[in-house]
Amino acid sequence: MTTEQIKQRIETAIPGTNAYVLDPMNDGEHLQAFVVSPAFEGIPVFKQQQMVMTAIKDIFQIVHALGLKTFTPAKWSEVKTQYGF
């Protein structure tokens, strides 16, 4: 599964979401995802991440590790430069 396919799956599962899925080691197994959604407003981070993981749970047959960070749109606008966006 490509990073684009994972991105699309997250964005389809959580409408209004922007997902950025990266493969920094270029191995297809150690990925990073930054997920920004207004659906995360007022929801604890662990539940935000649970929403994302539910959408992509089947990829872990292929992906070894996923670094996942979730943000509300307001928080993302504050921190995105820290992550190179």
Side-chain angles (χ1 to χ4, degrees):
M1 182 171 287
T2 68
T3 56
E4 185 61 30
Q5 290 170 317
I6 295 168
K7 168 189 168 44
Q8 289 174 357
R9 176 137 352 140
I10 293 167
E11 290 177 349
T12 299
I14 309 169
T17 294
N18 290 315
Y20 307 91
V21 181
L22 310 173
D23 186 357
M25 298 180 90
N26 214 21
D27 64 2
E29 294 182 7
H30 298 85
L31 306 179
Q32 292 180 337
F34 299 88
V35 183
V36 183
S37 180
F40 296 154
E41 292 287 344
I43 296 175
V45 172
F46 78 94
K47 289 203 182 250
Q48 295 172 16
Q49 292 181 349
Q50 196 172 48
M51 291 169 67
V52 175
M53 297 304 286
T54 297
I56 59 171
K57 62 185 171 197
D58 62 319
I59 70 160
F60 288 98
Q61 297 169 2
I62 303 162
V63 173
H64 176 70
L66 175 70
L68 175 61
K69 295 201 178 287
T70 55
F71 304 93
T72 62
K75 186 65 175 178
W76 180 245
S77 67
E78 291 175 23
V79 303
K80 65 183 174 182
T81 57
Q82 296 174 21
Y83 299 103
F85 292 93

